[in-house]
Amino acid sequence: MPELPEVESLRRLLTEEAVGRAVVRVDVAAISVLKTYDPPFTALAGMFVTSVARHGKFLDVEVGGELHLIVHLARAGWLQWRDNLPPAPPKPGKGPLALRVHLGERDDDPPGSAYGFDLTEAGTKKGLAAYCVRDPAEVPGVARLGPDPLSEDFTPEQLGELLAAAGRSQIKGVLRDQSVIAGIGNAYSDEVLHAARLSPFKPANSLDAEGVAALHAVIRGTLADAIARSDGLETSQLKREKKAGLRVHARTGQPCPVCGDTVREVSFADSSLQYCATCQTGGKPLADRRLSRLLK
């Protein structure tokens, strides 16, 4: 699933490539991607892209200073910038394409260019979502977001208040909760907790002021480093860079890059977490209830 660093990289790319271009038309290849109908997506045509913002994991393409095309890539969605879009509308239901946005030429573009971007989604479980709204707050997922961990307002004191309010909830789940902190998902919560040497099952309110400050620094540093590694890469390279930069997430059975112990996993119904017992839990493996049931 694309998380804050990947979405931020896409925001920067679209800011460079799309701002200043007019929306020529929007092709819908999968009706399921459309989550709003008023204003219609056809209303974007003829207006210029004025800015691109990010709200947690949501991309916000502002058009004409009036409307916003907001996208959530969900688990298997992606955005691909194109400089050679085919002129013919795509056939609905063919392949992973869900939405295509055609953009006009700039003055310095080669004649006959066909710029724009595709929204695609792999697999059969569809979660990719596109909204056309007048105000980003009209999107329920945006309206409920917690603070952005890279904003200046996100201080150690604010993080401490959020963790205290979460009580004895496991810190892994708190970091993933978009209404608490916006943008961190399953992968980067694993990476943050590994770097901070914290058990994913540790109660959120059990950190002292020093521990909160250390976690705050790790959160910001981990996300900033991931963004820096992706800076300037094409959209087709971002997924590969994310996978290459992860130290424990999705690396079950491989050696921990810090201590050499084997990276372990805890499985849940629809996801899993990875951790290093030596670095994070004092050498004690965490209980994996689903695996325990399978072994009985």
Side-chain angles (χ1 to χ4, degrees):
M1 176 184 291
E3 299 180 28
L4 186 154
E6 296 78 53
V7 177
E8 174 62 19
S9 296
L10 292 173
R11 183 198 69 79
R12 294 182 182 188
L13 182 142
L14 286 181
T15 297
E16 179 179 348
E17 298 288 356
V19 170
R21 298 185 188 276
V23 177
V24 176
R25 74 173 195 264
V26 178
D27 294 335
V28 179
I31 196 70
S32 61
V33 74
L34 304 182
K35 304 304 178 185
T36 58
Y37 301 95
D38 182 25
F41 283 73
T42 54
L44 299 170
M47 295 194 291
F48 285 84
V49 176
T50 51
S51 67
V52 184
R54 178 184 57 77
H55 313 286
K57 302 179 190 178
F58 290 83
L59 267 176
D60 177 0
V61 181
E62 185 182 57
V63 181
E66 302 174 13
L67 300 179
H68 298 259
L69 171 60
I70 295 184
V71 175
H72 191 279
L73 297 171
R75 185 182 293 272
W78 194 241
L79 183 148
Q80 182 72 48
W81 175 259
R82 303 278 300 276
D83 55 12
N84 57 349
L85 285 179
K91 294 182 179 180
K94 297 292 184 179
L97 180 65
L99 192 76
R100 173 170 289 163
V101 178
H102 296 258
L103 298 173
E105 298 178 5
R106 291 173 176 155
D107 293 339
D108 57 350
D109 288 333
S113 301
Y115 295 100
F117 58 88
D118 287 342
L119 295 177
T120 61
E121 187 169 24
T124 57
K125 187 175 181 180
K126 303 302 181 183
L128 178 66
Y131 308 79
C132 183
V133 294
R134 297 176 180 87
D135 184 338
E138 295 175 33
V139 178
V142 173
R144 72 179 185 89
L145 288 175
D148 190 290
L150 294 183
S151 72
E152 293 183 0
D153 296 335
F154 185 72
T155 62
E157 291 74 22
Q158 184 181 43
L159 176 60
E161 293 172 358
L162 294 171
L163 295 177
R168 295 192 60 78
S169 298
Q170 293 175 352
I171 196 166
K172 163 78 175 180
V174 174
L175 290 179
R176 290 187 61 187
D177 188 338
Q178 299 303 293
S179 66
V180 178
I181 301 173
I184 300 176
N186 195 31
Y188 286 105
S189 58
D190 281 351
E191 296 298 295
V192 164
L193 292 171
H194 177 257
R197 304 182 73 87
L198 293 174
S199 167
F201 289 177
K202 188 175 183 66
N205 66 353
S206 64
L207 292 180
D208 58 18
E210 183 178 353
V212 170
L215 177 60
H216 176 271
V218 168
I219 290 173
R220 291 174 71 97
T222 299
L223 298 176
D225 288 347
I227 293 171
R229 291 196 305 270
S230 300
D231 193 30
L233 295 180
E234 297 179 359
T235 51
S236 60
Q237 299 174 304
L238 289 175
K239 291 182 181 180
R240 184 165 59 251
E241 169 52 41
K242 175 183 179 179
K243 183 178 292 187
L246 297 174
R247 302 198 299 178
V248 292
H249 182 76
R251 297 191 179 276
T252 304
Q254 299 181 32
C256 169
V258 174
C259 71
D261 191 6
T262 301
V263 174
R264 301 171 186 266
E265 176 175 303
V266 176
S267 300
F268 303 97
D270 60 352
S271 66
S272 62
L273 66 83
Q274 286 77 42
Y275 70 100
C276 171
T278 296
C279 292
Q280 297 175 252
T281 62
K284 181 180 179 181
L286 297 172
D288 188 343
R289 294 180 178 85
R290 191 171 76 164
L291 180 60
S292 299
R293 289 198 297 270
L294 292 174
L295 294 175
K296 286 182 179 180

